[in-house]
Amino acid sequence: MNLLPFRFRTFRGRLSFFFLSLVALLLATTFLIVLQANRRHAQRQIEDNLRAGSRIFSTLTERRLDELNEQARLLAYDYGFKQAFGSSADDPGTMRLAMQNFRDRIRASFMVLVSLEQQTLYDSDASKRDGAPFDLPDLINAAEAHDALEARGLVLRDGQLFAAVVVPLLTPEPAAWICLGFRIDDSSARELGVLTNLDVSFFAQTGEARGSLLASTLPDTRRQELLAAWPRRGQTAPEPTQMELGQVPFVTLIEPLEVRHGRVAVALQRNLREELLPFRALETALIALGVAGLLLSIIAVVAISGSVSRPVLRLAENARRVESGDYSPQPGEESERRDELGQLARSFQNMTEGLAERDKVRDLLGKVASPAIAAELTSRPLTLGGEEKKVTVLFCDLIDFTPLSERLTPSELLEVLNAYLTAMSRIVDAHGGVIDKYIGDALMALFGAPLEMPDQAAAALRTAGEMRTALRELNQRLFPEGEDALRFGIGIHTGIVIAGNVGSPTRYNYTVLGDGVNIAARLESLTRSADYATDIIVSEATLQESTETFRTRPLGEAPVKGKQELVKIHALLE
Amino acid sequence: MAPHRSFSSLLVALCLWCCCSSSAIAAEIAVTVRDSRGAPVRDAVIYALPVTGKAPPARRQKVEVQQRDQQFLPYVSVVQTGSAVLFPNNDDVKHHVYSFSPAKKFELPLYAGTPAEPIVFDKPGVVTLGCNIHDWMIAYVLVVPTPWFAVTGADGAAQLRNLPAGAYDIEAWQPRLRNQAQPPRQRVNLPAQSSTAFQLDLKPEVRLRRSPTDSGDGYR
Ligand SMILES: [Cu+2]
């Protein structure tokens, strides 16, 4: 049943181990569950942030293009510009200056005036383009197809990314196209990055294997890593994926941009490590909380197990003392407790007291009655009622005791009586008889009850003989002057009696009742009669019962009080 | 002085009669203009150029392109080269009429009422009129080197009258005409021919939206 590779020597150790394991298991489970939920939440939140960032990015790009469109439209309606255009045939220099002025006014990167036939009329930055076909025809075509004759979008021009718009120059009907471009460079990327809270990188996917980075919020070192980690041509990452940039994980979303005259993708990224900082903090707090909880549990478990095991140890100590026979009361705080241990301690105390009481009673029984009876009494279940048994009753009483009692002081008398009874009792004990009771100076002994005795009659007869001798010696010792101060008479009869506990449930004696007892007492009283001239009278029943032969003298038949028939009696000779 | 004046009047009347009598053989021709889908085209200008190339007589005309309800009226006008055009402003607000067209560049900065001096259109060609403060205002004046011209109505029909007998190149023009450099042309002999028809390749109509007005009836 021991599943552990080691054993605990103490109950306290086992208790502590059990509870601590339980607490640790509980804490670990809780921690793992919370940790997992936390991680999952973090992952989801990061992905949500990225998607939200992507939406913000699209909206911002769209809005920026709207803004540029608006500005370009305002420019197209500028009367001064129309005037310059009206006279441009005579004065191309003025026209170019006007265009540069307007380009700078709205902070555009380039401005091109395109004829309705899509020839470059004026390029604000490169006059060598003048007269050549415009290099962004898709934009013009889109504008031509549009109701308001306007178009806007992202374009790749000379390897750079621009937000471009085309509006017509109306004088008041379309006379030319105005194309304005706003370069998307690192600072525009940074602006987007701040607004979306993302790292934004634009990447041209040109004919080369890897293409080139157009603009980015990333520092230079990271850009190289991004270029190296960039997926193969044409691939995008429409779902958030993880990308390592210099051992730092970035959650990355790569989306194609709708760009005219080139293929461009945008990478929206978030530093996973930074993103996870608050979650890491939460994890640290959780760990700290778990450790603190475990420490507190250790303290609590040690204290509780101590409070449980200490009284148990004390009780065990008490039990050992009781085992060794020390019933002295050991008051402890345990019995003051209100819990089960208190009950146990109180019960134990009561038990100890009970044991002490019983020992005392048994002692007393042993002193006042036969140890055999005492043993029989204590070993049996205590019930009233008895059984029929053949018993030999020996009744012994002092004769003519009154004169002696008048001669002696009470204490002297008691001393004499005690010496006498002690001597007689010892003889009864020695022959296996039991003292049923003392009645004043009389003594009643049983043979065959409560313990079965095969030679009960012989034992009783031998006892009586020895008692006679013992009394003579006692007289010589107590009264050396010579006169036999103490004389007794003994009656012995064997018959069926009721043996058992007699009394009330709280107070009872083991005794025998019946004719047998009365006959023994009657025989004893017959010794007082001078006609029989003997101190020991035995019934014929006893002699017949005896396995040994004793020297006796028949005394004839004697009437027994309350009995119709006569009993044959004999004197026991020396 | 009075008798002399009445005499000169008589002389003028006589001259006019002579002209009329020489056009006793004067002809007219009906022209219908349809688009490529066969729908009648309005605001198309029809004008006849004598094949002889002989400069037709100049006809003095009083031409006005007025501004009413923040629109030019008419939308398309046609004048003979050398005509003077007035731009009376019949609105409560001022207008700033301009043209950047090569045929006639001019500008009438913000004004109200009728400018004292008319604008003389001395070169043939298309003059596109705009207003600097009302972007949607647009109108056309076609300047042609002939007195015989007309503008089609909603039915796409126009009538050229009082042409002397002879051969003419009849040309058609419309603001939405795709190839403005070479307007479609048809040669007719008058009075043998009494009608002709044009089918024009037109761009779809694009008109700028007006700003909402104070009158509260939304866009107009
Ligand atoms: Cu106006």
Side-chain angles (χ1 to χ4, degrees), chain B residues 70 94-96 131-134 137:
Chain B
Q70 293 165 43
K94 291 183 178 180
H95 291 287
H96 178 167
C131 173
N132 185 30
I133 54 173
H134 303 107
M137 284 175 70

Side-chain angles (χ1 to χ4, degrees), chain A residues 77 79 82-83 86 147 170-173, chain B residues 98 100 105 107 128-129 132 135 138 140:
Chain A
Y77 287 132
Y79 191 68
K82 286 179 191 177
Q83 277 180 315
D147 277 353
L170 298 167
T171 62
E173 61 176 9
Chain B
Y98 68 86
F100 291 115
K105 289 182 189 165
E107 182 180 358
T128 308
L129 302 175
N132 185 30
D135 287 327
I138 187 167
Y140 301 89

Side-chain angles (χ1 to χ4, degrees), chain A residues 57 156 159-162 182-193 198-204 211-220 222-223 226-227 230 257 264-269:
Chain A
F57 174 81
L156 206 57
Q160 293 181 326
L161 185 62
F162 294 91
F182 300 82
R183 176 153 181 238
I184 294 176
D185 56 6
D186 286 352
S187 72
S188 350
R190 266 196 300 280
E191 197 185 344
L192 282 168
L198 296 170
D199 275 316
V200 180
S201 304
F202 296 93
F203 189 86
S212 60
L213 208 54
L214 297 165
S216 178
T217 54
L218 292 172
D220 287 340
R222 290 260 163 82
R223 290 180 189 212
L226 178 62
L227 268 179
W230 196 273
L257 281 182
V264 176
V266 64
L268 301 172
Q269 295 179 297

Side-chain angles (χ1 to χ4, degrees), chain A residues 29-77:
Chain A
T29 312
T30 310
F31 180 71
L32 282 177
I33 289 172
V34 172
L35 199 70
Q36 206 183 354
N38 191 27
R39 290 248 163 95
R40 221 173 15 233
H41 177 68
Q43 185 75 24
R44 203 159 42 224
Q45 186 161 331
I46 289 166
E47 289 179 5
D48 286 352
N49 284 349
L50 209 56
R51 288 202 189 89
S54 160
R55 281 195 295 277
I56 292 173
F57 174 81
S58 308
T59 311
L60 282 176
T61 309
E62 202 60 29
R63 200 161 290 169
R64 179 81 181 118
L65 282 168
D66 280 345
E67 230 172 78
L68 301 182
N69 198 344
E70 224 36 64
Q71 290 176 328
R73 197 179 295 148
L74 281 177
L75 175 59
Y77 287 132

